[in-house]
Amino acid sequence: MKKALHFITAIIFFIVPIWGMTQTCPTDIIFLSSQADVDNFEATYDVANCNFPGGISINGPDIINLDGLSGLNLVEGSLYVGGNNLSDISGLNGLTSVGEGLIISGLNSLPETSFPVLTTVGYLDIADNPNLTNIDGLLALTSVNVDV
């Protein structure tokens, strides 16, 4: 009976907490291809302590908002947002730096950019967004490290 109690205690204190842990910081590219992927981003990754050197690709037809990325402030790799019908990218409002490229492409319903605190990008590629009429959301940019 005492051994069974120790075994149960071990499970409670060592194994059960692992189920609730967030993933360690990834080094490879992260593909967010559904709204569920976006919504679960902060529960899956330690956003406050990760720098995402492999980059992040957000591309899926059912992605309707980026609210699940609201805690993201740094991407060392590239950040690609495209191939969906997003009309609002305000979930990325906390982004301050993208080490490589910020690529916004193929967003058929996007009327404006929204990066109020983004100061640094490696390069900027905004293309094939037929309804994009306002890029004032990039006014905080102070550094683009290569030609635009």
Side-chain angles (χ1 to χ4, degrees):
M1 178 70 173
K2 194 172 185 179
K3 286 183 182 183
L5 184 59
H6 287 295
F7 179 74
I8 292 171
T9 302
I11 289 174
I12 290 171
F13 288 107
F14 296 108
I15 296 175
V16 171
I18 291 173
W19 290 334
M21 288 176 52
T22 58
Q23 181 176 341
T24 59
C25 296
T27 56
D28 294 332
I29 189 169
I30 297 168
F31 293 97
L32 304 177
S33 58
S34 69
Q35 186 63 50
D37 291 344
V38 172
D39 293 342
N40 295 321
F41 185 78
E42 289 187 23
T44 305
Y45 302 103
D46 185 4
V47 176
N49 296 304
C50 292
N51 54 19
F52 306 101
I56 300 171
S57 174
I58 305 164
N59 184 356
D62 76 325
I63 298 174
I64 57 172
N65 70 64
L66 301 180
D67 296 348
L69 304 175
S70 63
L72 184 65
N73 59 29
L74 170 66
V75 178
E76 276 188 5
S78 291
L79 175 61
Y80 170 78
V81 184
N84 51 54
N85 287 314
L86 281 170
S87 60
D88 176 19
I89 56 174
S90 62
L92 297 172
N93 280 355
L95 193 63
T96 60
S97 178
V98 178
E100 293 181 17
L102 172 59
I103 303 113
I104 302 169
S105 180
L107 299 181
N108 297 328
S109 301
L110 185 68
E112 63 186 2
T113 58
S114 180
F115 298 99
V117 295
L118 181 65
T119 58
T120 305
V121 297
Y123 66 90
L124 186 59
D125 182 356
I126 300 175
D128 300 321
N129 304 294
N131 290 311
L132 183 62
T133 58
N134 183 340
I135 60 170
D136 288 349
L138 295 168
L139 292 176
L141 266 179
T142 58
S143 176
V144 178
N145 298 325
V146 296
D147 294 335
V148 177

